[in-house]
Amino acid sequence: MTKLEKGPTGQRRGRGARERILSASQQLFREQGINNTGMDQLCAVAQVSKRTAYQHFTSKDELVTEYLRRHDPDTMPEIFDSAELTPRERLLAAFEKPPSVPPAETTPLCPFIAAAVEINDTDHPARRRAHDYKASVAARFTETARQAGAVEPEQLGEQLALLLDGASVRTRALDTDALPTAAAIAAVLIDNALPAEAPG
Amino acid sequence: MTKLEKGPTGQRRGRGARERILSASQQLFREQGINNTGMDQLCAVAQVSKRTAYQHFTSKDELVTEYLRRHDPDTMPEIFDSAELTPRERLLAAFEKPPSVPPAETTPLCPFIAAAVEINDTDHPARRRAHDYKASVAARFTETARQAGAVEPEQLGEQLALLLDGASVRTRALDTDALPTAAAIAAVLIDNALPAEAPG
DNA sequence: GCCTATGTACACAAATCGTTCTACTTAAGG
DNA sequence: CCTTAAGTAGAACGATTTGTGTACATAGGC
């Protein structure tokens, strides 16, 4: 996660509108979806006048694109770049729930999945970004699988990425955390793909 | 699939408006999503006047709900009710692409996932229907897994359902058929969960 | 052959959408 | 202190949305 620097509740208005707009985007697009969030509401939450919003972003489409671009600029770095874990442990760590927000709530739907579903035009920059991000996650998995000595790292990478996405959408549909289910599958796949008893 | 009885291209207008409306819903909601499909366009495709549409369905919400209700009233019966296949074969058959539509196109996103993402209100009947359908698929898998003699049928059922959803959303995001990836995982899970060399 | 269900055409209301406008205020740097 | 860039408030625009109202047409069962 990037630093959200929420500030003392009611961020003081004034300079720094762009940041406030993007913060509000993160919150609202995540909570209620892109199409269900109007610019009026977004500006109200960001405590920014509409004029200012449109000086920073020429259109809502551009704001959406920037919102996705800013979100996770690198792909899950806190997991894949962790030097303390063995490659095998890193693969498994991707399926552990981050300690953000109270454990009672269900994790919100992956913003890239949301964008891929809500936006219809395949050529929309936001959808392209979603495509790239999803490919990037698989590539990271593949890379780590290769480091771990998996027999078919590309296949394993694609499989693990699919598990994460399945867990995300199923959590949304059933309102129940599906990540443990995905984690169990991941453990099986990793065990199957890695040479037995390799240290990592 | 239910009989769509498309008729000779330009369905003759007149009686039978309700069916035409639901047919158009299937087509348009699937192709462009629920929120991106207006009632005007829908009525035009259905060759039905708007007045008639609102005589059959009091609101778009109700139409969406009915569209999801009608769609697959039973859960994938052609797979789970097939008497020619062993339980194990039935589990695997769920991951084979149905021969509908040319193989070049990617399978459209599962309508229930679409509804779960596009609609924000958890209490919306359509979202409840999506919830129930997703639970139903898992239950069908579980039931079949039990027949096949799986050691932990409930876990396997939930896992296989997650794979299907992961494949659907990933196909959407990457514009590449992800079902084979899910099928490969399913094969591994099923092999792991079923007593070795059982006839089915 | 008539009666009634059903459907049509199309204008219209009301809300909401993204977007732009004008005119005013404020904060920071030199 | 004064200039200038940045932000504000809120009205308004045009397009689009869901949903209605009115007056008219037609197909089928009796």
Side-chain angles (χ1 to χ4, degrees), chain A residues 126-148:
Chain A
R127 273 208 65 174
R128 266 206 265 267
R129 168 88 182 111
H131 175 286
D132 293 349
Y133 179 86
K134 286 301 170 192
S136 162
V137 170
R140 288 284 236 164
F141 270 127
T142 293
E143 173 195 355
T144 309
R146 186 171 284 119
Q147 291 170 17

Side-chain angles (χ1 to χ4, degrees), chain B residues 27-71:
Chain B
Q27 179 195 330
L28 294 177
F29 289 160
R30 253 190 191 299
E31 283 176 10
Q32 16 175 323
I34 295 170
N35 289 336
N36 296 324
T37 301
M39 291 298 285
D40 277 344
Q41 185 192 8
L42 199 145
C43 290
V45 169
Q47 289 187 280
V48 152
S49 81
K50 235 184 337 170
R51 204 70 187 81
T52 302
Y54 279 97
Q55 269 156 8
H56 283 285
F57 307 95
T58 64
S59 68
K60 183 183 177 181
D61 279 340
E62 188 182 300
L63 172 58
V64 170
T65 306
E66 188 57 30
Y67 146 73
L68 283 186
R69 203 187 315 276
R70 129 114 30 164
H71 192 285

Side-chain angles (χ1 to χ4, degrees), chain A residues 15 35 37-40 50-51 54 58-61:
Chain A
R15 299 300 167 92
N35 289 335
T37 300
M39 291 299 285
D40 278 343
K50 267 203 286 192
R51 197 73 180 80
Y54 278 95
T58 65
S59 67
K60 184 184 178 181
D61 279 340

Side-chain angles (χ1 to χ4, degrees), chain A residues 18-37:
Chain A
R18 189 185 178 89
E19 285 309 309
R20 265 176 290 139
I21 295 169
L22 284 168
S23 279
S25 300
Q26 301 252 16
Q27 180 196 328
L28 294 177
F29 290 159
R30 258 185 129 81
E31 282 176 11
Q32 18 175 329
I34 295 170
N35 289 335
N36 297 325
T37 300

